[in-house]
Amino acid sequence: MRSIRLAALAVTAIPLLAFAQQDLSKVEIKTTALRDGTHMLTGAGGNMVASAGSDGVFIIDDQFAPLAGKIRAAVAKLSNKPLRFVVNTHWHGDHTGGNEDMGKAGAVIVAHDNVRKRMSVGQLLRGSMVAPAAAAALPVVTFASNLSLHLNGDSVRVHHVANAHTDGDALVKFERANVLHMGDVYFNGLYPFIDAESGGSIDGLLAAVDSGLALSDATTIVVPGHGPASNRAELAAYGAMLKGHRDRISALKADGKSLAEVIAAKPTASTDEALGKAFIKPHQLVTSIYETL
Ligand SMILES: [Zn+2]
């Protein structure tokens, strides 16, 4: 099942998994200390945050299945205590691919109700099917709106944000460390993917950015789902950029312009050069905004 799922992901989710098209056997997991026992881990796929301390280790997201062994090795370097929890920010395979391995190793997987629902059955992702996840990969603890973990001297608040990147997104805030993982609500340095087929929407994404701003202050380390570690000011600029594009596209749509006409009008031109080349292209961003307004 794992190989089927990966094959489906590799063939189908082209922009989403541009990150995955590299040879995963050559990917190394890099660990960067953040603050108060928290670390950012990167390899291929979504950014991870690990917390290590006297109660053990837990991680937010776990990238792709072939990297699971390397992720566990990286986590083992932070602490000789067990990996106890995995929190998934949403269901996409570049954030949950390691779940089966982590679950079998004894970690309790935690995510929003809709993450479990979507992983349990086949999903349409950018027009192609992703197979149901293995039972061991499914979240064991799920929540509808909020959940807190009290570990390693910190209170970790997991906040659901509705219909943003998907319908199962969570923002995760370490209150003492003052670290906020935004999941794929925040793509830092590149246009975001809004997964309308999974319930994502531009207005939900903008509301989720506002939630992230409300959870942060000038010294918060803001970890995006993709791109380098960031801060509140950059998150605010990202939200303002998307709001401007949303408002231009909304006005054109209200004027009766078709999607093709709106794409041709280049409503995102001011940032296409900077943000529209790495992953989601300008016409894809315009389409996802137009269609979810
Ligand atoms: Zn995603």
Side-chain angles (χ1 to χ4, degrees), residues 194-240:
I194 300 169
D195 185 357
E197 286 165 330
S198 292
S201 71
I202 180 62
D203 285 340
L205 192 79
L206 290 171
V209 169
D210 285 344
S211 296
L213 294 173
L215 289 168
S216 55
D217 61 28
T219 60
T220 304
I221 298 171
V222 179
V223 176
H226 298 276
S230 184
N231 56 49
R232 188 179 191 278
E234 290 177 353
L235 177 63
Y238 166 82

Side-chain angles (χ1 to χ4, degrees), residues 1 7 9-10 14-15 32 73 92 99 102 109 117 124 138 174 190 232 234 249:
M1 184 169 290
L9 288 169
I14 292 157
T32 307
H92 286 152
N99 276 15
M102 308 295 164
I109 298 167
K117 268 187 209 160
L124 204 55
L138 296 176
F174 293 77
L190 63 175
R232 188 179 191 278
E234 290 177 353
I249 292 165

